[in-house]
Amino acid sequence: LKRLVDALELEGDVTVFEQLAGCARLGIVDQIAEGDWDMASRLTRALGRRRGGRAGPSDLAHVGRKEVEAILADPRTERLFETIEAGSQQERRKAARVLEAMGDAAVERLVAALTATERGRVENFLIDMLAALVPTSETALRKELTPETGAEAAVKLIRASAVVCRDPAPVFISGLSHSEQKVQSATLSEARKVGGKVAQQVLQWALTHGSAQVRLEAVKHLGEMARPESMAGLIQLTQTTTLVEVQRECCLAFGKMALTRGHHDKIVPVLAGILTPGFLRKDYHEDVRHAAAWALSQMTEADGARRALKKVTDDSNERVARVARMTLDHRKSVDARKKG
């Protein structure tokens, strides 16, 4: 077998290489069946390593790829995936080297193993393997996640996409389109972990197109991110939604954001309108008004915020009145210390 490895690496004639590759396939399958991962990985790697010759590299690579696909189709190769699923950490790593040597040809089987495993450590191990096989693995993950994918498998695919995909946003949006709430929630959580432009894009999509529950969760995530870029979408949602929970979370999100004076000019009137409804303005739920009061209490450098809070210091809702009084008292103390 060692001589076969050398011959595979050196041979440049496609006809001779085909014969050698056929022998290598038989040897690889036998070594996998016996659990000799070192020799199996050496033979597999040799199928993809060329040092020139009369045939073009693409001709030899095609032969090698064909033989690898035949190896993966052999039932005895299941021992590879059984070892990754249930073997010791050392055995798992040795078996993984065989699959790594197969390159892109192994991606579909790795994705299948990912969706089948119920062990978190194995899931992470397979994700790391897929991350080394981009862009083929990225394409495979996108194709695998469909509205018909089972909820458990879909969540694993979403978690993998967060690590593997250079731009996981398309996969995340597919996850938000899934019928299962569990999948939608996992998608929002993973988007939030990725952060940056991907999180903004996915969470904004959820605000516009998601179900009521998805919108509520998206608002919470946007509030935690505290990014002013989401302000416009939250203002629109605040003014259009009829769900008390979403209105409340939008107000809380405004209070958590790091805002400039320019942002205050847009947000303070919205919050003031919620806090002190008037002619042709609807009355908001007390939880929403309390959240609006708290958000304004985070913006007291804006004159409009202080004026809005002064109007509700004697509000019939004690929670709203208490927030207004405490905020204004604190503001007076701060101003007095500055003058002193």
Side-chain angles (χ1 to χ4, degrees), residues 289-335:
R289 296 184 66 240
H290 180 236
W294 177 83
L296 287 168
S297 74
Q298 309 303 304
M299 308 175 191
T300 52
E301 63 272 24
D303 293 338
R306 294 195 299 273
R307 286 196 299 269
L309 290 171
K310 285 179 182 178
K311 293 180 180 180
V312 295
T313 53
D314 294 320
D315 195 86
S316 58
N317 185 324
E318 179 55 30
R319 291 191 300 162
V320 171
R322 184 167 57 251
V323 169
R325 290 194 298 268
M326 291 177 64
T327 301
L328 293 173
D329 288 345
H330 176 71
R331 183 71 190 188
K332 286 179 182 178
S333 298
V334 171
D335 292 342

Side-chain angles (χ1 to χ4, degrees), residues 105-219:
V107 165
E108 288 189 10
R109 292 295 303 276
L110 287 171
V111 171
L114 171 70
T115 58
T117 187
E118 296 182 357
R119 303 176 66 184
R121 183 175 295 180
V122 175
E123 178 183 332
N124 292 333
F125 187 83
L126 291 166
I127 289 173
D128 288 341
M129 292 185 67
L130 288 168
L133 294 170
V134 291
T136 304
S137 56
E138 184 174 0
T139 302
L141 290 170
R142 288 180 179 179
K143 290 171 61 177
E144 192 69 19
L145 183 60
T146 70
E148 287 74 37
T149 304
E152 295 295 334
V155 170
K156 294 170 190 172
L157 292 169
I158 289 164
R159 285 198 290 257
S161 298
V163 176
V164 174
C165 297
R166 292 162 294 183
D167 178 14
V171 181
F172 289 160
I173 290 174
S174 295
L176 290 176
S177 303
H178 200 279
S179 59
E180 292 285 343
Q181 181 63 47
K182 178 180 181 179
V183 179
Q184 297 169 6
S185 297
T187 300
L188 292 173
S189 179
E190 290 301 320
R192 171 68 182 89
K193 291 177 185 176
V194 171
K197 293 182 178 179
V198 169
Q200 284 291 127
Q201 179 183 348
V202 173
L203 294 173
Q204 290 288 356
W205 189 96
L207 288 183
T208 305
H209 305 286
S211 64
Q213 182 61 33
V214 165
R215 291 184 180 187
L216 178 59
E217 291 187 39
V219 170

Side-chain angles (χ1 to χ4, degrees), residues 29-40:
V29 172
D30 286 342
Q31 298 308 301
I32 290 173
E34 294 174 8
D36 188 345
W37 310 122
D38 291 335
M39 182 53 69

